[in-house]
Amino acid sequence: MFSLRGEPGCWCTAPRANPHLPIWAGSLCPKKDWFLFAHPSMANEENDPVVQEIDVYLAKSLAEKLYLFQYPVRPASMTYDDIPHLSAKIKPKQQKVELEMAIDTMNPNYCRSKGEQIALNVDGTCTDETSTYSTKLMDKQTFCSSQTTSNTSRYAAALYRKGELHLTPLHGILQLRPSFSYLDKADAKHREREAANEAGDSSQDEAEEDIKQITVRFSRPESEQARQRRVQSYEFLQKKHAEEPWVHLHYYGLRDSRSEHERQYLLCQGPGMSESTELIKSPSEYLMMLMPPNIEEEKEKPMAPSNVLSMAQLRTLPLADQIKILMKNVKVMPFANLMSLLGLGTDSTSVLRCIQQVAMLVQGNWVVKSDILYPKDSSSPHSGVPAEVLCRGRDFVMWKFTQSRWVVRKEVATVTKLCAEDVKDFLEHMAVVRINKGWEFLLPYDEDFIKKHPDVVQRQHMLWMGIQAKLEKVYSLLKETVPKTAEGQSVPVMLISGDQRVQAAKAKAQQNHLLLERELQWKKEQLQAMQVSSSVRIKEEPVSEEEEEEEQADKEEEPMDTSTCGSLRNKLANGLPTGRAMGGDTLNGHPPTGCGEAPMARELRAFVEATFQRQFVLTLSELKRLFNMHLASLPPGHTLFSGISDRMLQDTVLAAGCKQILVPFPPQTAASPDEQKVFALWESGDMSDQHRQVLLEIFSKNYRVRRNLIQTRLNQECGEDLSKQEVDKVLKDCCVSYGGMWYLKGTVQS
């Protein structure tokens, strides 16, 4: 009979009526809070004295280091305690142990000839440090362990001493059996000898093998499902087990003093041996431990592939993640289909805000962005090129589809310099091949979305303009080969013949000629009228054909001015068109009576002033890039989406107190016309205005300048020696250094 209490616990014993029946019944002793387990035949016996009490303690000193070794191939009467242990090693994570024990070669039952033959088969005739049997005799054997159970929480080693029972939990239970790995080594030696003999029999005068062409292939990226199969394979587990290093141990015999010292750790070491709390349980808690409530085990649900997500799981994610996952899998989708997949009640405005973060608008449909499909550290599975190059090539394909319904794969491969497999992957994402025609965009043009969401279309158009500028610079696209797109988004393009193109060009040229003549005549009349009505004489200069074309092009680019300003409606102010007067250059430098500044002009001027207060010097190309980024950050329906031409932007810059710096670029420069137009803030209101003006005058005559020349000129103009900090501030505001020379910002060509 036994009783187990909290802390200190105790074992209680009593005589058993029938020793052949199991002990399983229990009752509670109310006086001492002990559990008494007794045979059912004794449950009603009151005269059942307790003959002994044993305290139980839990020792933890060896809780993570105590192993139980079992030798299942050897009877318990034949122990290995007296056999010399030559070496021992362990892999702690795998709980794998190897022991080397000596074999008594002097025993009459040992066959010496067999031992010599085995050693010869394993090591051969040579003897070195790698030999298994250095004495040329099998004088040792290896024992290798295997786990009997992975859950050892129910097992403990007990030590009874001085009326106390000390329990130490087992960390592992291992069974050790003889290892026959030496036979594998003998087979390997045998195969090596046979291979050497075959090589010796062959002729020594054979010619060298012919050089063979080797095809190098790049492995495809491993999917999550394939990775899981590989991780669970036997080969992977064996490789992982082999990677864990062996930890070599020192073996001490049963009667060694060190073993006796370690054996003391099986006793509870706490002061008063009352620190253990695992055995301090109330009767109800202990009863719960003995008879836990039945918990129905949940049935394991079949795991879906890692790249498959059900719609129910998808809708538990945030809206942005839902859209990203859908676009990454579908790649091309109309907005109406996306709304149907997201479920009822989804706000279309939120969807539009999220979709623009992961996709681009092409022909009214949404195509997933390239950086979503090709993350930063990835590469092509076909050619191995980095993700940055792949994104640039795919953006080129998407941009081509914003210009036309059809794309030719050879043309894309020629421009992007990518292999055919990569280009084919790009096209398969968003197009379908047509025999003898090329690749056609996958979905029809979505006119409904274009009409319903013009603000989104305008913003996407601005983004595509930025991408187009980047592609032109990277791929060196000629301006003539880049077709002009309409405001917002391109419309479906019809295939026309060469004759039709020629006729259309002739008609357009004639129409432009008539318009230019009318415009020139109208300007002359206006100039004459203003000369009569004003005492200011305006010199009338002949207008060249190139200037006429530029004026006409500017007029076509600029949106129609619908503001009414009294008698100056659609008139000139000091010879400037109304587009220039919007920035502030109106009649005689003052705005006409009754005409307030338009909201669009105010917003544009505020952007220009804030930008130049930060940058001081900008090229027109860089200013347009910053303006497009500013547009992309504005909410839908903002006034700046109504259309800002390059001329209007330049006029606003000049009206904001900036000046154009005519930098003398070298004749062989590769800078575009927009990059050669450099604007600088002339007055900012701080103490460095005079210094910046001197610096800008220097660069109006020099493309690049050395620092000592700049400092000398500043000292002469300012009449005093400037400190290094003052010169550094001016240079940092307006210039960049390259190769020991200083350039205005944006004028250095890489």
Side-chain angles (χ1 to χ4, degrees):
M1 314 278 289
F2 301 94
S3 168
L4 181 61
R5 189 188 164 201
E7 181 61 40
C10 63
W11 295 92
C12 299
T13 61
R16 296 178 58 183
N18 188 349
H20 301 289
L21 294 178
I23 302 173
W24 63 275
S27 60
L28 181 64
C29 181
K31 293 183 179 180
K32 298 183 180 180
D33 293 339
W34 294 348
F35 283 106
L36 300 178
F37 293 89
H39 189 271
S41 62
M42 300 181 184
N44 297 326
E45 295 184 7
E46 297 180 357
N47 299 326
D48 187 10
V50 175
V51 297
Q52 187 178 2
E53 294 181 1
I54 302 175
D55 294 337
V56 180
Y57 299 94
L58 183 63
K60 298 181 181 179
S61 299
L62 299 177
E64 300 295 329
K65 303 174 184 178
L66 188 61
Y67 292 87
L68 173 63
F69 285 2
Q70 298 176 344
Y71 299 89
V73 298
R74 193 176 181 100
S77 58
M78 300 175 62
T79 64
Y80 290 99
D81 296 340
D82 298 328
I83 295 178
H85 288 61
L86 304 179
S87 66
K89 54 185 179 180
I90 185 174
K91 289 186 176 183
K93 294 182 180 179
Q94 304 174 39
Q95 294 191 3
K96 184 177 181 179
V97 176
E98 282 192 8
L99 299 177
E100 279 191 0
M101 300 186 188
I103 298 177
D104 185 8
T105 57
M106 306 304 296
N107 191 292
N109 296 324
Y110 180 81
C111 181
R112 194 173 187 84
S113 61
K114 284 292 184 182
E116 293 175 350
Q117 183 63 41
I118 291 176
L120 180 63
N121 293 340
V122 173
D123 297 328
T125 56
C126 60
T127 303
D128 53 17
E129 295 180 356
T130 61
S131 300
T132 304
Y133 305 109
S134 57
T135 61
K136 296 185 179 182
L137 185 68
M138 184 180 178
D139 56 354
K140 61 183 178 181
Q141 62 177 337
T142 303
F143 288 82
C144 189
S145 69
S146 61
Q147 280 185 305
T148 59
T149 178
S150 58
N151 183 15
T152 59
S153 59
R154 306 183 335 181
Y155 300 93
L159 182 62
Y160 180 74
R161 179 171 294 183
K162 298 180 181 180
E164 299 170 349
L165 187 66
H166 298 261
L167 301 179
T168 302
L170 289 176
H171 188 58
I173 302 177
L174 307 179
Q175 291 185 348
L176 286 90
R177 295 178 174 84
S179 173
F180 301 97
S181 58
Y182 62 89
L183 297 178
D184 297 333
K185 191 174 181 180
D187 292 341
K189 286 282 186 181
H190 179 67
R191 286 193 293 268
E192 289 178 2
R193 287 194 293 268
E194 288 184 348
N197 292 335
E198 291 178 0
D201 295 339
S202 62
S203 175
Q204 301 296 324
D205 299 330
E206 291 181 354
E208 294 183 358
E209 294 184 0
D210 296 336
I211 299 176
K212 296 182 179 180
Q213 183 179 1
I214 298 177
T215 303
V216 179
R217 296 182 180 273
F218 294 91
S219 60
R220 290 179 176 270
E222 188 179 31
S223 63
E224 184 65 21
Q225 189 174 5
R227 191 190 69 82
Q228 291 181 358
R229 288 197 301 267
R230 179 177 60 82
V231 169
Q232 296 175 359
S233 64
Y234 176 76
E235 181 182 0
F236 179 83
L237 294 177
Q238 289 294 103
K239 181 180 178 181
K240 189 174 181 181
H241 290 168
E243 290 176 352
E244 184 182 358
W246 286 102
V247 178
H248 293 273
L249 309 173
H250 294 283
Y251 176 82
Y252 297 93
L254 182 64
R255 300 173 184 83
D256 192 275
S257 59
R258 179 64 183 270
S259 297
E260 181 62 29
H261 175 74
E262 291 291 329
R263 201 175 295 120
Q264 297 300 318
Y265 288 110
L266 293 174
L267 301 175
C268 187
Q269 303 296 320
M273 295 184 296
S274 60
E275 65 174 2
S276 299
T277 59
E278 285 78 1
L279 299 179
I280 302 177
K281 302 292 181 183
S282 64
S284 58
E285 290 175 342
Y286 182 65
L287 185 61
M288 187 67 68
M289 292 173 60
L290 293 177
M291 301 181 63
N294 293 328
I295 302 176
E296 295 183 0
E297 296 182 358
E298 296 182 359
K299 296 182 179 179
E300 294 184 358
K301 298 180 179 179
M303 293 182 62
S306 59
N307 60 342
V308 176
L309 195 65
S310 67
M311 292 302 296
Q313 293 174 322
L314 181 68
R315 288 173 181 171
T316 60
L317 301 176
L319 180 61
D321 293 341
Q322 294 184 44
I323 295 174
K324 183 177 180 180
I325 292 173
L326 287 172
M327 292 305 304
K328 189 174 182 180
N329 285 274
V330 181
K331 298 186 177 58
V332 185
M333 190 186 305
F335 186 73
N337 290 13
L338 178 62
M339 291 298 297
S340 63
L341 290 174
L342 294 176
L344 300 175
T346 306
D347 183 21
S348 60
T349 305
S350 302
V351 176
L352 281 173
R353 189 182 302 111
C354 295
I355 189 66
Q356 294 182 69
Q357 299 176 6
V358 297
M360 296 291 293
L361 192 64
V362 179
Q363 299 190 20
N365 301 282
W366 291 99
V367 182
V368 64
K369 287 184 178 180
S370 302
D371 54 0
I372 301 296
L373 296 180
Y374 302 105
K376 186 176 182 180
D377 297 329
S378 63
S379 60
S380 168
H382 306 294
S383 58
V385 300
E388 182 182 359
V389 180
L390 293 177
C391 292
R392 196 160 54 225
R394 188 174 180 274
D395 287 345
F396 177 76
V397 174
M398 294 169 62
W399 173 76
K400 290 289 289 182
F401 276 120
T402 64
Q403 313 299 317
S404 173
R405 290 283 302 175
W406 300 87
V407 169
V408 180
R409 187 173 72 171
K410 290 184 178 179
E411 178 187 353
V412 176
T414 303
V415 174
T416 61
K417 304 296 190 296
L418 292 173
C419 68
E421 289 80 4
D422 288 334
V423 176
K424 186 179 179 182
D425 284 350
F426 300 158
L427 293 170
E428 286 178 345
H429 291 167
M430 63 192 84
V432 60
V433 64
R434 305 295 186 191
I435 299 176
N436 298 329
K437 290 186 177 182
W439 290 79
E440 184 183 12
F441 192 68
L442 191 63
L443 299 176
Y445 187 82
D446 193 348
E447 295 184 1
D448 293 339
F449 181 84
I450 299 296
K451 294 178 181 178
K452 291 180 180 178
H453 305 282
D455 52 344
V456 177
V457 175
Q458 176 67 17
R459 179 179 297 182
Q460 288 292 308
H461 172 68
M462 292 296 181
L463 293 176
W464 276 120
M465 291 293 290
I467 294 175
Q468 175 181 329
K470 186 187 300 182
L471 294 175
E472 289 174 4
K473 182 176 294 186
V474 172
Y475 294 129
S476 301
L477 301 179
L478 298 177
K479 295 286 184 179
E480 291 77 7
T481 62
V482 180
K484 290 186 178 181
T485 57
E487 289 291 332
Q489 187 74 13
S490 61
V491 296
V493 179
M494 306 249 340
L495 295 176
I496 59 176
S497 63
D499 294 337
Q500 291 175 337
R501 290 177 182 271
V502 173
Q503 295 297 332
K506 288 181 178 180
K508 186 175 182 180
Q510 294 176 358
Q511 183 180 4
N512 289 342
H513 183 70
L514 293 175
L515 291 174
L516 288 173
E517 288 183 348
R518 293 176 185 175
E519 180 71 15
L520 179 59
Q521 184 64 28
W522 178 77
K523 286 183 179 180
K524 290 180 178 180
E525 293 176 356
Q526 292 297 123
L527 289 173
Q528 293 175 359
M530 293 189 65
Q531 285 179 354
V532 174
S533 60
S534 175
S535 60
V536 180
R537 295 189 61 187
I538 300 176
K539 183 180 179 181
E540 181 178 349
E541 296 182 356
V543 182
S544 63
E545 294 182 0
E546 295 180 356
E547 291 176 350
E548 291 179 5
E549 293 177 359
E550 290 181 1
E551 292 289 343
Q552 180 63 25
D554 293 337
K555 183 176 179 181
E556 291 178 359
E557 288 181 2
E558 293 177 2
M560 182 178 294
D561 185 8
T562 57
S563 61
T564 59
C565 294
S567 62
L568 290 179
R569 180 177 181 180
N570 295 329
K571 300 294 183 178
L572 297 177
N574 281 350
L576 296 177
T578 54
R580 292 178 179 251
M582 183 176 296
D585 285 341
T586 54
L587 185 61
N588 290 333
H590 301 283
T593 306
C595 293
E597 195 174 14
M600 181 176 65
R602 289 197 301 269
E603 291 287 341
L604 182 59
R605 181 158 181 166
F607 162 76
V608 169
E609 291 177 349
T611 303
F612 274 93
Q613 285 291 341
R614 294 192 304 269
Q615 304 288 347
F616 291 101
V617 177
L618 286 172
T619 63
L620 180 58
S621 175
E622 178 66 11
L623 180 61
K624 288 164 63 176
R625 186 187 70 83
L626 295 175
F627 183 64
N628 287 334
M629 292 176 58
H630 178 64
L631 285 179
S633 65
L634 295 177
H638 196 272
T639 181
L640 287 181
F641 284 112
S642 57
I644 303 296
S645 66
D646 291 355
R647 175 60 62 84
M648 188 183 302
L649 186 60
Q650 294 179 59
D651 292 341
T652 306
V653 171
L654 296 175
C658 301
K659 287 190 177 183
Q660 183 173 358
I661 310 301
L662 301 179
V663 179
F665 283 85
Q668 68 275 14
T669 181
S672 64
D674 286 351
E675 291 175 341
Q676 294 186 27
K677 293 181 180 180
V678 183
F679 297 92
L681 182 62
W682 196 251
E683 293 182 355
S684 63
D686 59 9
M687 300 297 294
S688 302
D689 283 345
Q690 182 184 2
H691 304 161
R692 276 194 296 271
Q693 292 170 9
V694 174
L695 181 67
L696 295 174
E697 289 178 358
I698 295 175
F699 279 102
S700 65
K701 300 177 182 179
N702 301 276
Y703 174 60
R704 56 182 183 177
V705 188
R706 293 192 179 274
R707 179 190 175 96
N708 56 0
L709 178 61
I710 295 174
Q711 188 157 5
T712 302
R713 182 69 180 276
L714 286 173
N715 293 338
Q716 292 175 354
E717 295 293 335
C718 298
E720 58 179 353
D721 293 340
L722 299 182
S723 63
K724 182 178 182 298
Q725 289 77 11
E726 291 175 327
V727 177
D728 289 343
K729 181 182 184 307
V730 176
L731 291 175
K732 183 179 179 182
D733 290 343
C734 305
C735 304
V736 292
S737 176
Y738 181 76
M741 305 293 288
W742 287 88
Y743 302 78
L744 278 184
K745 289 182 179 179
T747 62
V748 181
Q749 301 301 312
S750 58

